[in-house]
Amino acid sequence: MRYFTWNRKRQLLVFNFIYLLSLVCWLGAIIFFSFFVAPVVFKALDREKAGELVGIIFPRYYKIGYICGALILFSFLMVGEVGLKWCAWSIMIIGSGIAGLVINPKAKKIKEQLKSSSENEILSLEKKFKTLHSLSVKLNALVLFSGLWLLGLTASNFHL
């Protein structure tokens, strides 16, 4: 009876599967949230309630990116990936990190301050929130387009 051995070809297959699954999950989450969930939530609920709901979703949304990004990194290291894929992945993980670990907490803090602020402070806080929101949207788009670039680089390696 022949025992199952992990030769290099099988390892590459497993790590490439992990890589592709992580990339499509990350991209799928971005597309689903940005183009389906957020618009429906803001259309169905009043602005304040929609903002609260999206605020609850955001930590999980960013966590998906961190987990998928870590799995992609692990796969790259195991396969010995070099080149432009690293660049696209780096843009994705840095963009997600800034949005999730820097901008989102600041925006959440401003939202909490808005609840207990005077009328004089409200305009200033709303302006700061809009600036952060705009930056977050731009980073989300950057992560999405970098992910599509990474997917395109991956697809260009397939042989028919």
Side-chain angles (χ1 to χ4, degrees), residues 7-8 22-23 25 33 35 37 49 60 71 85 92 97-98 114 117 122 124 141 153 156 159:
N7 62 25
R8 183 68 179 150
S22 300
L23 180 58
C25 284
F33 181 78
F35 297 105
V37 174
K49 290 291 181 191
R60 292 168 180 90
L71 288 170
K85 288 182 182 179
M92 291 179 75
I98 292 170
L114 277 167
S117 61
I122 288 176
S124 173
L153 290 169
S156 69
H159 303 286

Side-chain angles (χ1 to χ4, degrees), residues 24-96:
V24 297
C25 284
W26 195 356
L27 286 173
I30 294 168
I31 291 167
F32 184 69
F33 181 78
S34 300
F35 297 105
F36 297 96
V37 174
V40 168
V41 166
F42 279 94
K43 189 173 184 178
L45 301 174
D46 66 77
R47 186 175 169 212
E48 186 176 323
K49 290 291 181 191
E52 287 177 22
L53 180 58
V54 169
I56 293 167
I57 294 170
F58 269 146
R60 292 168 180 90
Y61 171 78
Y62 290 118
K63 194 178 288 185
I64 289 170
Y66 307 146
I67 292 168
C68 291
L71 288 170
I72 290 170
L73 173 62
F74 175 69
S75 299
F76 281 177
L77 294 172
M78 298 308 291
V79 171
E81 187 62 54
V82 294
L84 287 176
K85 288 182 182 179
W86 275 100
C87 182
W89 171 83
S90 297
I91 294 169
M92 291 179 75
I93 203 72
I94 291 169
S96 288

